[in-house]
Amino acid sequence: GQNIDQPTEMTATEGAIVQINCTYQTSGFNGLFWYQQHAGEAPTFLSYNVLDGLEEKGRFSSFLSRSDSYGYLLLQELQMKDSASYLCAVIDSNYQLIWGAGTKLIIKP
Amino acid sequence: GAVVSQHPSWVICKSGTSVKIECRSLDFQATTMFWYRQFPKQSLMLMATSNEGSKATYEQGVEKDKFLINHASLTLSTLTVTSAHPEDSSFYICSAKGVQGDYGYTFGSGTRLTVV
């Protein structure tokens, strides 16, 4: 079966850095997404990686290693508004989006 | 950027009635629309995938006669929850994929359905 693994919950301090890991087992791979979802709201797009390496976008960066079936989302200079769930999703060989269960990030002052 | 407008944002209905949720792609043509359901503190669960002009493909365990999906045009898809019951109360979200073939999936703002 297809599976996306990411931690259920993480806690970090305001101003710090946090890395949310995602490993996947899918039938084929056509890209890895990260979405942010605040409680009661729809997910919003953060990043898309299809090639190996790090992509930096302001305070948020996303990394992919296809050989390791692994990616991570790096959040720097954490702000209280970053408290949300972060969803990892992979596009498989049939171009279906496979979702992880999400990582709830709690930011403490 | 691409925008998907979803309405209503929230709805309360009586048990046994039907509710229609609309998703419109405002500045692009959505060849494929995905409908998700999300229960509190759980991940998105894909209910069905619809392509414009054809019947929707439902995920296992999702009743196609209960959750009617219509994707009659490239800019509009609807989900109708028929004979709603309290267990159908959930957060319903649509997501559209555009014609350009890129990998962008744009989400609607979601609909909070409460069946009383």
Side-chain angles (χ1 to χ4, degrees):
Chain A
Q2 308 203 89
N3 194 50
I4 308 288
D5 290 313
Q6 55 181 127
T8 304
E9 186 174 296
M10 299 182 72
T11 302
T13 304
E14 190 176 14
I17 299 173
V18 71
Q19 177 175 310
I20 303 174
N21 296 323
C22 173
T23 57
Y24 57 90
Q25 302 86 40
T26 57
S27 53
F29 176 83
N30 280 298
L32 186 148
F33 285 100
W34 285 98
Y35 282 84
Q36 180 191 61
Q37 186 178 27
H38 286 100
E41 298 180 12
T44 55
F45 172 81
L46 290 178
S47 67
Y48 170 68
N49 293 67
V50 68
L51 299 176
D52 290 347
L54 183 70
E55 296 219 0
E56 299 178 72
K57 194 183 294 185
R59 293 189 299 115
F60 293 5
S61 301
S62 57
F63 172 83
L64 174 67
S65 170
R66 288 173 296 173
S67 60
D68 295 322
S69 298
Y70 162 74
Y72 66 71
L73 179 69
L74 187 72
L75 295 81
Q76 303 182 75
E77 301 173 21
L78 286 170
Q79 302 175 8
M80 297 303 293
K81 67 178 182 179
D82 298 330
S83 293
S85 286
Y86 292 84
L87 308 176
C88 174
V90 168
I91 304 176
D92 68 9
S93 56
N94 293 319
Y95 296 96
Q96 297 298 313
L97 203 54
I98 312 299
W99 290 92
T103 298
K104 183 178 180 181
L105 178 63
I106 299 169
I107 310 295
K108 295 185 176 180
Chain B
V3 175
V4 172
S5 175
Q6 182 171 348
H7 294 281
S9 298
W10 59 270
V11 58
I12 301 173
C13 70
K14 290 185 177 180
S15 186
T17 61
S18 295
V19 174
K20 179 185 281 189
I21 301 169
E22 287 191 356
C23 277
R24 293 180 183 272
S25 55
L26 298 186
D27 50 4
F28 70 103
Q29 293 178 318
T31 52
T32 304
M33 191 75 79
F34 303 91
W35 286 95
Y36 293 90
R37 179 167 51 182
Q38 187 177 36
F39 293 106
K41 299 184 179 181
Q42 295 187 23
S43 186
L44 297 168
M45 293 175 54
L46 181 65
M47 298 175 66
T49 303
S50 71
N51 293 295
E52 184 265 338
S54 62
K55 289 184 178 180
T57 301
Y58 290 81
E59 295 299 303
Q60 192 172 8
V62 178
E63 300 174 58
K64 61 180 180 181
D65 294 329
K66 181 172 182 63
F67 299 99
L68 302 179
I69 291 173
N70 185 290
H71 194 165
S73 77
L74 285 170
T75 59
L76 174 64
S77 178
T78 62
L79 167 67
T80 302
V81 183
T82 62
S83 187
H85 292 285
E87 58 265 31
D88 298 323
S89 298
S90 187
F91 192 51
Y92 292 86
I93 310 172
C94 64
S95 176
K97 186 174 183 300
V99 294
Q100 286 78 17
D102 62 15
Y103 296 124
Y105 293 79
T106 305
F107 283 89
S109 54
T111 298
R112 173 73 60 192
L113 171 64
T114 302
V115 184
V116 298

